[in-house]
Amino acid sequence: QYDDIGSFNEGLVAVGKKASFSTQWGFIDKTGKEIIPVQFQGFVAPVFINGKAKVTKDGREFYIDKTGKEVQ
């Protein structure tokens, strides 16, 4: 189902699907349930630290919380 997987951190793990020049990332929980859909670009799996993960989408970098909502 996924081409790549990161490391669990703060209860979630980034999972990726290969795209043309990078990987599209999303997050699943320990049961395998997709929490944040695959939609973020990058060569390296994003991780949650202190409840936030730095992601890139449409050429813009920003942070999300564990629900996928953009945060400061």
Short mmCIF file of all heavy atoms in Angstrom, two decimals:
data_model
loop_
_atom_site.label_atom_id
_atom_site.label_comp_id
_atom_site.label_asym_id
_atom_site.label_seq_id
_atom_site.Cartn_x
_atom_site.Cartn_y
_atom_site.Cartn_z
N GLN A 1 0.82 -1.19 0.00
CA GLN A 1 0.00 0.00 0.00
C GLN A 1 0.87 1.26 0.00
O GLN A 1 0.52 2.25 -0.62
CB GLN A 1 -0.93 -0.01 1.20
CG GLN A 1 -1.88 1.14 1.23
CD GLN A 1 -2.86 1.02 2.39
OE1 GLN A 1 -2.87 0.06 3.14
NE2 GLN A 1 -3.72 1.99 2.53
N TYR A 2 2.01 1.22 0.72
CA TYR A 2 2.93 2.35 0.77
C TYR A 2 4.30 1.92 0.26
O TYR A 2 4.68 0.76 0.40
CB TYR A 2 3.06 2.87 2.21
CG TYR A 2 1.74 3.32 2.79
CD1 TYR A 2 1.08 2.57 3.75
CD2 TYR A 2 1.15 4.50 2.37
CE1 TYR A 2 -0.14 2.97 4.28
CE2 TYR A 2 -0.07 4.92 2.89
CZ TYR A 2 -0.70 4.16 3.85
OH TYR A 2 -1.91 4.56 4.36
N ASP A 3 5.04 2.87 -0.29
CA ASP A 3 6.37 2.58 -0.82
C ASP A 3 7.47 2.83 0.20
O ASP A 3 8.58 2.33 0.06
CB ASP A 3 6.65 3.45 -2.06
CG ASP A 3 5.67 3.17 -3.17
OD1 ASP A 3 5.42 1.98 -3.47
OD2 ASP A 3 5.14 4.14 -3.75
N ASP A 4 7.19 3.64 1.21
CA ASP A 4 8.21 4.02 2.18
C ASP A 4 7.54 4.26 3.52
O ASP A 4 6.34 4.54 3.58
CB ASP A 4 8.92 5.30 1.72
CG ASP A 4 10.34 5.41 2.24
OD1 ASP A 4 10.71 4.64 3.15
OD2 ASP A 4 11.08 6.27 1.74
N ILE A 5 8.32 4.12 4.59
CA ILE A 5 7.79 4.35 5.93
C ILE A 5 8.89 4.95 6.79
O ILE A 5 10.06 4.59 6.65
CB ILE A 5 7.24 3.04 6.54
CG1 ILE A 5 6.50 3.32 7.84
CG2 ILE A 5 8.32 2.01 6.72
CD1 ILE A 5 5.61 2.19 8.29
N GLY A 6 8.50 5.90 7.64
CA GLY A 6 9.45 6.52 8.55
C GLY A 6 9.51 5.74 9.86
O GLY A 6 9.26 4.54 9.90
N SER A 7 9.83 6.45 10.94
CA SER A 7 9.89 5.85 12.27
C SER A 7 8.77 6.41 13.13
O SER A 7 8.42 7.58 13.02
CB SER A 7 11.22 6.19 12.94
OG SER A 7 12.29 5.66 12.21
N PHE A 8 8.20 5.55 13.99
CA PHE A 8 7.15 6.02 14.88
C PHE A 8 7.72 7.07 15.82
O PHE A 8 8.81 6.91 16.36
CB PHE A 8 6.58 4.87 15.71
CG PHE A 8 5.43 4.19 15.02
CD1 PHE A 8 5.62 3.00 14.36
CD2 PHE A 8 4.17 4.76 15.04
CE1 PHE A 8 4.56 2.37 13.72
CE2 PHE A 8 3.10 4.14 14.40
CZ PHE A 8 3.31 2.95 13.75
N ASN A 9 6.98 8.15 15.97
CA ASN A 9 7.34 9.20 16.91
C ASN A 9 6.05 9.86 17.36
O ASN A 9 5.23 10.24 16.53
CB ASN A 9 8.27 10.22 16.24
CG ASN A 9 9.02 11.05 17.26
OD1 ASN A 9 9.24 10.60 18.37
ND2 ASN A 9 9.38 12.25 16.90
N GLU A 10 5.86 9.94 18.66
CA GLU A 10 4.66 10.54 19.24
C GLU A 10 3.38 9.85 18.74
O GLU A 10 2.35 10.48 18.53
CB GLU A 10 4.62 12.04 18.98
CG GLU A 10 5.78 12.78 19.63
CD GLU A 10 5.65 14.29 19.59
OE1 GLU A 10 4.55 14.81 19.35
OE2 GLU A 10 6.68 14.94 19.81
N GLY A 11 3.46 8.54 18.53
CA GLY A 11 2.28 7.75 18.19
C GLY A 11 1.91 7.69 16.72
O GLY A 11 0.96 7.02 16.35
N LEU A 12 2.64 8.41 15.86
CA LEU A 12 2.35 8.40 14.43
C LEU A 12 3.62 8.10 13.64
O LEU A 12 4.72 8.35 14.11
CB LEU A 12 1.79 9.75 13.97
CG LEU A 12 0.45 10.18 14.57
CD1 LEU A 12 0.09 11.58 14.10
CD2 LEU A 12 -0.65 9.20 14.22
N VAL A 13 3.42 7.57 12.44
CA VAL A 13 4.55 7.30 11.55
C VAL A 13 4.19 7.82 10.16
O VAL A 13 3.06 7.69 9.71
CB VAL A 13 4.91 5.80 11.50
CG1 VAL A 13 3.78 4.96 10.96
CG2 VAL A 13 6.17 5.57 10.70
N ALA A 14 5.18 8.45 9.51
CA ALA A 14 4.97 8.92 8.14
C ALA A 14 5.04 7.73 7.19
O ALA A 14 5.91 6.86 7.32
CB ALA A 14 6.04 9.95 7.77
N VAL A 15 4.12 7.70 6.25
CA VAL A 15 4.11 6.68 5.20
C VAL A 15 4.11 7.39 3.87
O VAL A 15 3.50 8.45 3.71
CB VAL A 15 2.89 5.74 5.33
CG1 VAL A 15 3.03 4.84 6.55
CG2 VAL A 15 1.58 6.51 5.38
N GLY A 16 4.83 6.82 2.91
CA GLY A 16 4.97 7.51 1.63
C GLY A 16 4.63 6.67 0.43
O GLY A 16 4.75 5.44 0.44
N LYS A 17 4.21 7.37 -0.60
CA LYS A 17 3.99 6.79 -1.92
C LYS A 17 4.89 7.53 -2.89
O LYS A 17 4.92 8.77 -2.89
CB LYS A 17 2.53 6.92 -2.33
CG LYS A 17 1.59 6.11 -1.47
CD LYS A 17 0.16 6.23 -1.95
CE LYS A 17 -0.76 5.40 -1.06
NZ LYS A 17 -2.16 5.51 -1.49
N LYS A 18 5.61 6.78 -3.71
CA LYS A 18 6.53 7.39 -4.67
C LYS A 18 5.77 8.24 -5.68
O LYS A 18 4.75 7.83 -6.20
CB LYS A 18 7.34 6.33 -5.40
CG LYS A 18 8.22 5.48 -4.51
CD LYS A 18 9.40 6.26 -4.00
CE LYS A 18 10.27 5.33 -3.15
NZ LYS A 18 11.25 6.03 -2.38
N ALA A 19 6.30 9.45 -5.92
CA ALA A 19 5.79 10.35 -6.95
C ALA A 19 6.90 10.52 -7.98
O ALA A 19 7.96 9.90 -7.87
CB ALA A 19 5.38 11.67 -6.34
N SER A 20 6.71 11.37 -8.95
CA SER A 20 7.68 11.49 -10.05
C SER A 20 9.08 11.86 -9.58
O SER A 20 10.05 11.24 -10.00
CB SER A 20 7.18 12.48 -11.09
OG SER A 20 6.80 13.69 -10.49
N PHE A 21 9.24 12.87 -8.74
CA PHE A 21 10.57 13.29 -8.33
C PHE A 21 10.81 13.24 -6.84
O PHE A 21 11.89 13.57 -6.37
CB PHE A 21 10.86 14.72 -8.83
CG PHE A 21 10.94 14.80 -10.32
CD1 PHE A 21 9.91 15.34 -11.06
CD2 PHE A 21 12.04 14.29 -11.00
CE1 PHE A 21 9.97 15.40 -12.44
CE2 PHE A 21 12.12 14.35 -12.38
CZ PHE A 21 11.08 14.90 -13.10
N SER A 22 9.82 12.86 -6.06
CA SER A 22 9.98 12.75 -4.62
C SER A 22 8.96 11.75 -4.10
O SER A 22 8.43 10.95 -4.86
CB SER A 22 9.81 14.12 -3.95
OG SER A 22 8.49 14.58 -4.08
N THR A 23 8.66 11.83 -2.84
CA THR A 23 7.67 10.96 -2.22
C THR A 23 6.56 11.83 -1.64
O THR A 23 6.83 12.92 -1.14
CB THR A 23 8.32 10.11 -1.11
OG1 THR A 23 9.36 9.32 -1.69
CG2 THR A 23 7.33 9.19 -0.43
N GLN A 24 5.34 11.36 -1.72
CA GLN A 24 4.19 12.02 -1.09
C GLN A 24 4.00 11.34 0.27
O GLN A 24 3.95 10.12 0.35
CB GLN A 24 2.94 11.83 -1.94
CG GLN A 24 3.02 12.44 -3.31
CD GLN A 24 2.65 13.90 -3.29
OE1 GLN A 24 1.69 14.29 -2.64
NE2 GLN A 24 3.40 14.70 -4.00
N TRP A 25 3.88 12.15 1.34
CA TRP A 25 3.80 11.62 2.70
C TRP A 25 2.47 11.89 3.36
O TRP A 25 1.86 12.93 3.14
CB TRP A 25 4.91 12.23 3.56
CG TRP A 25 6.28 11.89 3.08
CD1 TRP A 25 7.09 12.67 2.31
CD2 TRP A 25 6.99 10.69 3.34
NE1 TRP A 25 8.28 12.02 2.06
CE2 TRP A 25 8.25 10.80 2.69
CE3 TRP A 25 6.71 9.53 4.04
CZ2 TRP A 25 9.19 9.80 2.73
CZ3 TRP A 25 7.67 8.53 4.08
CH2 TRP A 25 8.89 8.67 3.43
N GLY A 26 2.08 10.97 4.22
CA GLY A 26 0.94 11.12 5.12
C GLY A 26 1.30 10.41 6.41
O GLY A 26 2.44 9.97 6.58
N PHE A 27 0.35 10.24 7.32
CA PHE A 27 0.65 9.63 8.61
C PHE A 27 -0.40 8.60 8.98
O PHE A 27 -1.60 8.79 8.74
CB PHE A 27 0.69 10.70 9.71
CG PHE A 27 1.86 11.63 9.59
CD1 PHE A 27 1.78 12.77 8.81
CD2 PHE A 27 3.05 11.36 10.24
CE1 PHE A 27 2.84 13.64 8.68
CE2 PHE A 27 4.13 12.21 10.12
CZ PHE A 27 4.03 13.37 9.34
N ILE A 28 0.06 7.50 9.59
CA ILE A 28 -0.82 6.48 10.14
C ILE A 28 -0.50 6.29 11.62
O ILE A 28 0.58 6.68 12.08
CB ILE A 28 -0.69 5.13 9.39
CG1 ILE A 28 0.73 4.56 9.49
CG2 ILE A 28 -1.12 5.26 7.94
CD1 ILE A 28 0.90 3.15 8.94
N ASP A 29 -1.45 5.69 12.35
CA ASP A 29 -1.20 5.38 13.75
C ASP A 29 -0.70 3.93 13.88
O ASP A 29 -0.49 3.25 12.87
CB ASP A 29 -2.43 5.65 14.61
CG ASP A 29 -3.61 4.74 14.31
OD1 ASP A 29 -3.46 3.72 13.59
OD2 ASP A 29 -4.72 5.05 14.79
N LYS A 30 -0.53 3.47 15.10
CA LYS A 30 0.04 2.14 15.33
C LYS A 30 -0.87 1.01 14.88
O LYS A 30 -0.43 -0.11 14.69
CB LYS A 30 0.41 1.97 16.81
CG LYS A 30 1.58 2.82 17.20
CD LYS A 30 2.01 2.60 18.62
CE LYS A 30 3.22 3.48 18.91
NZ LYS A 30 3.81 3.21 20.20
N THR A 31 -2.16 1.28 14.66
CA THR A 31 -3.08 0.25 14.18
C THR A 31 -3.11 0.21 12.66
O THR A 31 -3.76 -0.65 12.08
CB THR A 31 -4.51 0.49 14.70
OG1 THR A 31 -5.05 1.66 14.08
CG2 THR A 31 -4.54 0.63 16.21
N GLY A 32 -2.42 1.17 12.01
CA GLY A 32 -2.43 1.23 10.55
C GLY A 32 -3.50 2.15 9.99
O GLY A 32 -3.63 2.28 8.78
N LYS A 33 -4.26 2.80 10.86
CA LYS A 33 -5.32 3.71 10.42
C LYS A 33 -4.68 5.01 9.90
O LYS A 33 -3.83 5.60 10.56
CB LYS A 33 -6.26 4.04 11.58
CG LYS A 33 -7.36 5.00 11.20
CD LYS A 33 -8.24 5.32 12.39
CE LYS A 33 -9.27 6.37 11.98
NZ LYS A 33 -10.00 6.85 13.14
N GLU A 34 -5.13 5.43 8.71
CA GLU A 34 -4.62 6.67 8.14
C GLU A 34 -5.21 7.85 8.91
O GLU A 34 -6.41 8.05 8.92
CB GLU A 34 -4.98 6.76 6.66
CG GLU A 34 -4.32 7.95 5.98
CD GLU A 34 -4.59 7.98 4.49
OE1 GLU A 34 -5.72 8.34 4.11
OE2 GLU A 34 -3.67 7.62 3.74
N ILE A 35 -4.33 8.63 9.53
CA ILE A 35 -4.75 9.77 10.33
C ILE A 35 -4.68 11.05 9.49
O ILE A 35 -5.57 11.89 9.55
CB ILE A 35 -3.86 9.91 11.59
CG1 ILE A 35 -3.89 8.63 12.42
CG2 ILE A 35 -4.27 11.13 12.42
CD1 ILE A 35 -5.26 8.21 12.91
N ILE A 36 -3.61 11.19 8.72
CA ILE A 36 -3.43 12.34 7.83
C ILE A 36 -3.15 11.78 6.44
O ILE A 36 -2.17 11.06 6.25
CB ILE A 36 -2.28 13.24 8.31
CG1 ILE A 36 -2.56 13.75 9.73
CG2 ILE A 36 -2.07 14.42 7.35
CD1 ILE A 36 -1.40 14.45 10.40
N PRO A 37 -4.00 12.08 5.47
CA PRO A 37 -3.83 11.51 4.12
C PRO A 37 -2.49 11.86 3.48
O PRO A 37 -1.90 12.91 3.77
CB PRO A 37 -4.98 12.13 3.32
CG PRO A 37 -5.97 12.58 4.33
CD PRO A 37 -5.18 12.94 5.56
N VAL A 38 -2.03 11.00 2.60
CA VAL A 38 -0.81 11.23 1.83
C VAL A 38 -1.03 12.46 0.95
O VAL A 38 -1.93 12.46 0.11
CB VAL A 38 -0.47 9.99 0.98
CG1 VAL A 38 0.68 10.27 0.04
CG2 VAL A 38 -0.16 8.80 1.88
N GLN A 39 -0.22 13.52 1.20
CA GLN A 39 -0.40 14.76 0.46
C GLN A 39 0.81 15.69 0.51
O GLN A 39 0.85 16.69 -0.19
CB GLN A 39 -1.61 15.52 0.99
CG GLN A 39 -1.49 15.89 2.47
CD GLN A 39 -2.72 16.53 3.03
OE1 GLN A 39 -3.20 17.51 2.48
NE2 GLN A 39 -3.26 15.97 4.11
N PHE A 40 1.80 15.38 1.34
CA PHE A 40 2.94 16.27 1.53
C PHE A 40 4.15 15.75 0.75
O PHE A 40 4.39 14.55 0.72
CB PHE A 40 3.28 16.40 3.01
CG PHE A 40 2.11 16.88 3.82
CD1 PHE A 40 1.45 16.04 4.68
CD2 PHE A 40 1.66 18.19 3.71
CE1 PHE A 40 0.36 16.47 5.41
CE2 PHE A 40 0.57 18.63 4.43
CZ PHE A 40 -0.09 17.78 5.29
N GLN A 41 4.92 16.66 0.14
CA GLN A 41 6.06 16.26 -0.68
C GLN A 41 7.35 16.29 0.13
O GLN A 41 7.50 17.06 1.07
CB GLN A 41 6.23 17.22 -1.88
CG GLN A 41 5.09 17.23 -2.85
CD GLN A 41 4.02 18.26 -2.52
OE1 GLN A 41 4.28 19.26 -1.89
NE2 GLN A 41 2.81 17.99 -2.94
N GLY A 42 8.30 15.45 -0.30
CA GLY A 42 9.62 15.49 0.31
C GLY A 42 10.42 14.24 0.02
O GLY A 42 9.89 13.21 -0.37
N PHE A 43 11.73 14.38 0.20
CA PHE A 43 12.63 13.25 0.02
C PHE A 43 12.82 12.47 1.31
O PHE A 43 13.24 11.32 1.30
CB PHE A 43 13.99 13.73 -0.50
CG PHE A 43 13.90 14.34 -1.87
CD1 PHE A 43 13.93 15.71 -2.04
CD2 PHE A 43 13.75 13.53 -2.99
CE1 PHE A 43 13.83 16.27 -3.30
CE2 PHE A 43 13.64 14.08 -4.26
CZ PHE A 43 13.68 15.45 -4.41
N VAL A 44 12.53 13.12 2.45
CA VAL A 44 12.73 12.52 3.77
C VAL A 44 11.40 12.51 4.50
O VAL A 44 10.62 13.46 4.42
CB VAL A 44 13.77 13.35 4.58
CG1 VAL A 44 13.98 12.76 5.95
CG2 VAL A 44 15.08 13.43 3.82
N ALA A 45 11.15 11.44 5.24
CA ALA A 45 9.90 11.31 5.99
C ALA A 45 9.82 12.37 7.09
O ALA A 45 10.75 12.49 7.89
CB ALA A 45 9.80 9.92 6.61
N PRO A 46 8.72 13.12 7.16
CA PRO A 46 8.55 14.07 8.26
C PRO A 46 8.26 13.32 9.56
O PRO A 46 7.77 12.19 9.53
CB PRO A 46 7.36 14.92 7.82
CG PRO A 46 6.63 14.10 6.81
CD PRO A 46 7.63 13.17 6.20
N VAL A 47 8.59 13.94 10.69
CA VAL A 47 8.33 13.34 12.00
C VAL A 47 7.70 14.38 12.92
O VAL A 47 7.91 15.58 12.75
CB VAL A 47 9.61 12.79 12.67
CG1 VAL A 47 10.21 11.66 11.90
CG2 VAL A 47 10.63 13.89 12.89
N PHE A 48 6.93 13.90 13.88
CA PHE A 48 6.35 14.79 14.88
C PHE A 48 7.32 14.96 16.03
O PHE A 48 7.85 14.00 16.57
CB PHE A 48 5.02 14.23 15.38
CG PHE A 48 3.88 14.56 14.47
CD1 PHE A 48 3.48 13.66 13.50
CD2 PHE A 48 3.24 15.77 14.56
CE1 PHE A 48 2.45 13.97 12.64
CE2 PHE A 48 2.20 16.10 13.70
CZ PHE A 48 1.80 15.19 12.74
N ILE A 49 7.54 16.22 16.39
CA ILE A 49 8.35 16.59 17.55
C ILE A 49 7.57 17.66 18.29
O ILE A 49 7.17 18.67 17.69
CB ILE A 49 9.74 17.12 17.13
CG1 ILE A 49 10.49 16.03 16.36
CG2 ILE A 49 10.52 17.59 18.35
CD1 ILE A 49 11.79 16.49 15.74
N ASN A 50 7.33 17.44 19.58
CA ASN A 50 6.53 18.37 20.39
C ASN A 50 5.18 18.66 19.74
O ASN A 50 4.70 19.79 19.75
CB ASN A 50 7.29 19.67 20.64
CG ASN A 50 8.55 19.45 21.45
OD1 ASN A 50 8.58 18.63 22.36
ND2 ASN A 50 9.60 20.17 21.11
N GLY A 51 4.57 17.62 19.15
CA GLY A 51 3.23 17.74 18.61
C GLY A 51 3.11 18.38 17.23
O GLY A 51 2.00 18.60 16.75
N LYS A 52 4.26 18.70 16.59
CA LYS A 52 4.23 19.32 15.27
C LYS A 52 5.18 18.61 14.32
O LYS A 52 6.20 18.08 14.73
CB LYS A 52 4.66 20.79 15.35
CG LYS A 52 3.78 21.66 16.21
CD LYS A 52 4.10 23.14 16.08
CE LYS A 52 5.46 23.51 16.58
NZ LYS A 52 5.70 24.96 16.58
N ALA A 53 4.83 18.62 13.03
CA ALA A 53 5.70 18.07 12.00
C ALA A 53 5.87 19.12 10.90
O ALA A 53 4.89 19.77 10.50
CB ALA A 53 5.12 16.80 11.40
N LYS A 54 7.10 19.29 10.43
CA LYS A 54 7.37 20.22 9.33
C LYS A 54 7.14 19.49 8.02
O LYS A 54 7.71 18.42 7.78
CB LYS A 54 8.80 20.73 9.40
CG LYS A 54 9.11 21.82 8.42
CD LYS A 54 10.53 22.33 8.63
CE LYS A 54 10.83 23.52 7.77
NZ LYS A 54 12.20 24.01 8.02
N VAL A 55 6.27 20.06 7.17
CA VAL A 55 5.90 19.42 5.91
C VAL A 55 6.00 20.43 4.77
O VAL A 55 6.09 21.64 5.00
CB VAL A 55 4.47 18.84 5.98
CG1 VAL A 55 4.38 17.72 7.00
CG2 VAL A 55 3.44 19.92 6.27
N THR A 56 5.95 19.92 3.54
CA THR A 56 5.95 20.76 2.34
C THR A 56 4.78 20.35 1.46
O THR A 56 4.55 19.16 1.24
CB THR A 56 7.27 20.59 1.55
OG1 THR A 56 8.36 20.90 2.41
CG2 THR A 56 7.29 21.49 0.33
N LYS A 57 4.06 21.35 0.97
CA LYS A 57 2.96 21.10 0.06
C LYS A 57 2.89 22.27 -0.92
O LYS A 57 2.91 23.43 -0.49
CB LYS A 57 1.63 20.95 0.81
CG LYS A 57 0.48 20.56 -0.09
CD LYS A 57 -0.77 20.28 0.73
CE LYS A 57 -1.90 19.88 -0.19
NZ LYS A 57 -3.11 19.57 0.57
N ASP A 58 2.83 21.95 -2.20
CA ASP A 58 2.76 22.98 -3.24
C ASP A 58 3.91 23.99 -3.13
O ASP A 58 3.72 25.18 -3.31
CB ASP A 58 1.41 23.70 -3.22
CG ASP A 58 0.25 22.76 -3.46
OD1 ASP A 58 0.42 21.78 -4.22
OD2 ASP A 58 -0.83 22.97 -2.88
N GLY A 59 5.10 23.48 -2.76
CA GLY A 59 6.29 24.33 -2.67
C GLY A 59 6.37 25.19 -1.42
O GLY A 59 7.27 25.99 -1.27
N ARG A 60 5.46 25.02 -0.49
CA ARG A 60 5.42 25.82 0.74
C ARG A 60 5.69 24.94 1.94
O ARG A 60 5.08 23.88 2.09
CB ARG A 60 4.05 26.47 0.85
CG ARG A 60 3.93 27.52 1.92
CD ARG A 60 2.59 28.25 1.81
NE ARG A 60 1.47 27.45 2.25
CZ ARG A 60 1.07 27.34 3.52
NH1 ARG A 60 1.70 27.97 4.49
NH2 ARG A 60 0.03 26.60 3.82
N GLU A 61 6.62 25.36 2.82
CA GLU A 61 6.92 24.63 4.05
C GLU A 61 6.12 25.22 5.20
O GLU A 61 6.00 26.45 5.32
CB GLU A 61 8.41 24.73 4.39
CG GLU A 61 9.28 23.91 3.50
CD GLU A 61 10.73 23.89 3.97
OE1 GLU A 61 11.12 24.73 4.81
OE2 GLU A 61 11.46 23.03 3.50
N PHE A 62 5.56 24.34 6.04
CA PHE A 62 4.81 24.79 7.21
C PHE A 62 4.71 23.63 8.20
O PHE A 62 5.16 22.52 7.91
CB PHE A 62 3.41 25.30 6.81
CG PHE A 62 2.59 24.31 6.02
CD1 PHE A 62 1.66 23.49 6.63
CD2 PHE A 62 2.75 24.21 4.63
CE1 PHE A 62 0.90 22.59 5.89
CE2 PHE A 62 1.99 23.33 3.89
CZ PHE A 62 1.07 22.51 4.52
N TYR A 63 4.16 23.89 9.38
CA TYR A 63 4.00 22.86 10.40
C TYR A 63 2.54 22.44 10.48
O TYR A 63 1.63 23.26 10.27
CB TYR A 63 4.44 23.39 11.77
CG TYR A 63 5.92 23.56 11.88
CD1 TYR A 63 6.53 24.76 11.55
CD2 TYR A 63 6.73 22.51 12.30
CE1 TYR A 63 7.91 24.92 11.64
CE2 TYR A 63 8.11 22.66 12.39
CZ TYR A 63 8.68 23.86 12.06
OH TYR A 63 10.04 24.01 12.15
N ILE A 64 2.32 21.16 10.80
CA ILE A 64 0.98 20.65 11.04
C ILE A 64 0.93 20.02 12.43
O ILE A 64 1.96 19.62 12.99
CB ILE A 64 0.55 19.60 9.99
CG1 ILE A 64 1.53 18.42 9.95
CG2 ILE A 64 0.39 20.25 8.62
CD1 ILE A 64 1.06 17.23 9.13
N ASP A 65 -0.29 19.93 12.99
CA ASP A 65 -0.47 19.19 14.23
C ASP A 65 -0.86 17.76 13.89
O ASP A 65 -0.90 17.38 12.71
CB ASP A 65 -1.50 19.88 15.14
CG ASP A 65 -2.91 19.92 14.58
OD1 ASP A 65 -3.22 19.18 13.60
OD2 ASP A 65 -3.73 20.68 15.12
N LYS A 66 -1.19 16.98 14.89
CA LYS A 66 -1.46 15.55 14.65
C LYS A 66 -2.80 15.27 13.99
O LYS A 66 -3.13 14.12 13.72
CB LYS A 66 -1.35 14.78 15.98
CG LYS A 66 0.07 14.72 16.48
CD LYS A 66 0.13 13.88 17.75
CE LYS A 66 1.53 13.88 18.32
NZ LYS A 66 1.59 13.05 19.53
N THR A 67 -3.56 16.31 13.70
CA THR A 67 -4.80 16.14 12.92
C THR A 67 -4.60 16.57 11.48
O THR A 67 -5.51 16.44 10.67
CB THR A 67 -5.96 16.96 13.53
OG1 THR A 67 -5.69 18.35 13.37
CG2 THR A 67 -6.16 16.64 15.00
N GLY A 68 -3.42 17.13 11.17
CA GLY A 68 -3.14 17.61 9.83
C GLY A 68 -3.41 19.09 9.63
O GLY A 68 -3.22 19.63 8.56
N LYS A 69 -3.85 19.75 10.70
CA LYS A 69 -4.15 21.18 10.63
C LYS A 69 -2.85 21.99 10.70
O LYS A 69 -1.96 21.69 11.48
CB LYS A 69 -5.05 21.57 11.81
CG LYS A 69 -5.42 23.03 11.83
CD LYS A 69 -6.32 23.33 13.02
CE LYS A 69 -6.56 24.84 13.09
NZ LYS A 69 -7.28 25.20 14.31
N GLU A 70 -2.77 23.04 9.86
CA GLU A 70 -1.59 23.90 9.86
C GLU A 70 -1.54 24.68 11.17
O GLU A 70 -2.54 25.21 11.64
CB GLU A 70 -1.66 24.87 8.68
CG GLU A 70 -0.42 25.73 8.58
CD GLU A 70 -0.38 26.60 7.33
OE1 GLU A 70 -1.17 26.36 6.39
OE2 GLU A 70 0.44 27.52 7.30
N VAL A 71 -0.34 24.73 11.76
CA VAL A 71 -0.12 25.46 13.03
C VAL A 71 1.15 26.29 12.92
O VAL A 71 1.96 26.08 12.03
CB VAL A 71 -0.03 24.49 14.24
CG1 VAL A 71 -1.35 23.79 14.48
CG2 VAL A 71 1.09 23.49 14.05
N GLN A 72 1.31 27.21 13.85
CA GLN A 72 2.52 28.04 13.90
C GLN A 72 3.64 27.33 14.61
O GLN A 72 3.50 26.55 15.44
CB GLN A 72 2.23 29.36 14.64
CG GLN A 72 1.20 30.19 13.94
CD GLN A 72 1.71 30.70 12.60
OE1 GLN A 72 2.90 30.95 12.41
NE2 GLN A 72 0.82 30.84 11.65
#
